[in-house]
Amino acid sequence: MDLNPNNLFEQKKLATHNKSQPSNLSVSTIIAKVVTVYKVENNSSLFVGKYGFALAGDKESKHYQILLYGKNTILINYSLNKDFVYNVFENNCVEIITMTRWRLEFANIHDAVDFNSNISLILWKLNNPKIMFWIDLYYPIRNGVTAKFGSVVEVTFSAKIIQGKTIGPEVSNNYEDNKNLKVLIRNEGWEKSLMGVNVGTQRIIYIPAAEMGAWKILTDGHQSLCLIVNVKNVYEMEDDNAQVSLIMNKEIKIKLNNSSSDNVPNQNDQVVLNNINSSKKLLVETLSEELAELKKEHSKTIERLEKLEISFNEFKLNKSSSKDIIDLDLRKCLKKVYKSLIKEFPTDQSFTGNQVQFTIREIFYNYLSSQD
């Protein structure tokens, strides 16, 4: 059975099938998959058969439509709008509601994720691109722990910027880090988009510039962000606090210089854990505004070091006076401190405010001690 929509009917027919569609469109197929179709009536699913399921559109006019079609028939040719109902169900199923309620089952996870990824961007723009929007690409049966406010969700992620009408290049991911991002779900911020996930959920999240918080360091400050997360674990803080604390403590041990052991938090560890339990802060590995400020300081530090090098070279070309010797000692002192700061605060890691203050204090203390 030929389920290629371009072979089934011409673009002109595609564009004019609904009288409500605007004229002079150049509608083309965006994605098409084979699905098993069920018609839902009185809460019962009636088998219809295998059909093609396509998303088509004209990007310039922002007109999009979905089609459910066979070799010689079209079950649905529906123009999308902000009221269109598209629900992702467990495993590979979705449900759409036009004049009729349809349950569609994709052949495999890859087809489901591929189609849902393509339609998600359109649904976000049709609703309100200035508001955060998310949709599941896939999830297994929700028979385990599902995330709620106060849960900690452990995920891998891929972050891509939105460029105009399309999803742009990837700007960050943690696939090769050998450690997952742990997120505390709160009732504000982008974290609330992880409500309802369970282990195995793949979810796509569209975050506008005004709502992305610390993720903004990955953009130019005005772009939106497309975040794709794969859920690895969900922890309930009330029911599984000891296990979560252990996981947190291992992360803290990596980030802090003076962790005492794998299982017993020291004073600095406990401060972080208390912040987690009070829903104020999640992990030192979570992207933070402090990191953005630190990166700005790095650029300033590099400029200062370059100026110090120039000054030092100029000094060597001239005869020194007693004042020049004092200035040179000061330059050497600053240069050593700046290099220590760069070493202690690599740009690929994040830090809490307490860590920054503690580390800077230790750098100056150690330097002054070495001068005694």
Side-chain angles (χ1 to χ4, degrees):
M1 179 169 59
D2 186 0
L3 293 179
N4 187 329
N6 290 329
N7 295 336
L8 181 65
F9 32 68
E10 299 173 357
Q11 288 188 358
K12 183 177 179 181
K13 292 180 181 178
L14 241 171
T16 58
H17 188 75
N18 279 348
K19 293 182 180 180
S20 61
Q21 294 175 359
S23 59
N24 301 321
L25 292 178
S26 179
V27 179
S28 59
T29 302
I30 297 172
I31 188 171
K33 300 292 182 181
V34 176
V35 294
T36 303
V37 179
Y38 299 87
K39 189 176 182 180
V40 182
E41 293 182 348
N42 299 321
N43 294 323
S44 297
S45 297
L46 305 177
F47 175 76
V48 178
K50 289 187 180 295
Y51 285 78
F53 185 41
L55 173 64
D58 179 78
K59 294 182 179 179
E60 293 302 319
S61 65
K62 299 181 181 179
H63 173 80
Y64 300 95
Q65 60 199 94
I66 58 165
L67 301 108
L68 192 60
Y69 58 93
K71 185 175 182 179
N72 298 308
T73 184
I74 300 175
L75 295 181
I76 298 174
N77 185 6
Y78 186 86
S79 297
L80 301 185
N81 55 58
K82 65 182 182 63
D83 298 318
F84 174 61
V85 177
Y86 186 90
N87 295 321
V88 177
F89 280 62
E90 62 191 28
N91 297 326
N92 305 321
C93 293
V94 299
E95 184 177 275
I96 59 176
I97 300 177
T98 54
M99 296 296 291
T100 304
R101 192 172 162 193
W102 304 91
R103 179 71 63 89
L104 313 177
E105 182 180 356
F106 291 96
N108 51 60
I109 295 176
H110 177 269
D111 284 359
V113 170
D114 197 11
F115 196 97
N116 294 339
S117 297
N118 278 273
I119 201 171
S120 66
L121 179 62
I122 295 168
L123 295 177
W124 174 52
K125 290 185 176 181
L126 288 175
N127 280 272
N128 187 343
K130 293 183 179 180
I131 297 177
M132 187 163 57
F133 175 84
W134 61 89
I135 186 173
D136 288 333
L137 303 179
Y138 168 84
Y139 69 88
I141 297 174
R142 300 207 196 275
N143 56 4
V145 178
T146 57
K148 58 186 180 182
F149 290 133
S151 299
V152 172
V153 180
E154 187 176 355
V155 302
T156 58
F157 71 86
S158 170
K160 299 180 180 181
I161 55 175
I162 305 294
Q163 293 183 323
K165 302 174 183 178
T166 61
I167 297 177
E170 182 180 84
V171 290
S172 181
N173 73 66
N174 66 339
Y175 297 148
E176 305 297 328
D177 292 352
N178 296 319
K179 55 184 177 181
N180 301 327
L181 177 67
K182 298 181 183 66
V183 183
L184 177 67
I185 298 183
R186 304 179 297 168
N187 57 4
E188 59 183 14
W190 77 272
E191 296 91 341
K192 65 185 178 185
S193 65
L194 295 177
M195 278 282 293
V197 299
N198 63 329
V199 175
T201 298
Q202 297 181 47
R203 180 169 289 186
I204 190 166
I205 308 162
Y206 294 92
I207 312 176
E211 295 195 57
M212 70 176 60
W215 289 106
K216 190 174 289 188
I217 63 174
L218 300 177
T219 71
D220 63 5
H222 304 285
Q223 297 165 316
S224 297
L225 196 72
C226 172
L227 192 66
I228 301 173
V229 298
N230 294 273
V231 180
K232 300 301 181 181
N233 282 299
V234 178
Y235 304 103
E236 293 299 334
M237 295 296 285
E238 295 178 356
D239 300 332
D240 205 2
N241 192 54
Q243 185 177 6
V244 173
S245 296
L246 177 59
I247 292 169
M248 302 298 193
N249 202 38
K250 289 182 179 178
E251 293 293 337
I252 293 167
K253 186 174 185 296
I254 294 173
K255 294 297 180 181
L256 297 179
N257 294 327
N258 56 351
S259 295
S260 57
S261 68
D262 286 350
N263 299 320
V264 181
N266 61 26
Q267 184 176 0
N268 288 332
D269 295 348
Q270 195 61 52
V271 169
V272 178
L273 288 174
N274 289 339
N275 285 340
I276 293 168
N277 292 329
S278 62
S279 301
K280 293 180 180 178
K281 197 175 186 67
L282 176 60
L283 289 172
V284 293
E285 75 168 10
T286 304
L287 293 170
S288 63
E289 293 180 359
E290 287 88 353
L291 179 59
E293 293 298 322
L294 188 59
K295 284 190 174 183
K296 292 179 183 178
E297 286 301 316
H298 277 184
S299 63
K300 294 178 182 178
T301 297
I302 293 172
E303 293 177 3
R304 291 168 185 155
L305 285 173
E306 290 175 349
K307 291 179 180 179
L308 286 174
E309 288 291 343
I310 294 172
S311 299
F312 178 71
N313 292 331
E314 289 177 350
F315 170 79
K316 289 193 297 184
L317 295 175
N318 298 291
K319 293 183 178 180
S320 62
S321 64
S322 58
K323 182 179 182 300
D324 289 329
I325 293 174
I326 295 174
D327 289 344
L328 178 58
D329 288 337
L330 180 59
R331 292 187 191 114
K332 287 181 178 180
C333 169
L334 292 175
K335 186 174 180 180
K336 185 173 181 179
V337 170
Y338 289 146
K339 286 185 175 181
S340 296
L341 289 172
I342 292 175
K343 182 179 178 181
E344 293 296 330
F345 297 114
T347 57
D348 60 347
Q349 296 182 23
S350 57
F351 307 87
T352 65
N354 287 338
Q355 280 182 281
V356 173
Q357 293 177 358
F358 176 82
T359 304
I360 291 177
R361 184 181 63 201
E362 288 296 302
I363 289 173
F364 278 98
Y365 175 82
N366 292 335
Y367 181 80
L368 293 174
S369 297
S370 66
Q371 302 303 305
D372 292 342

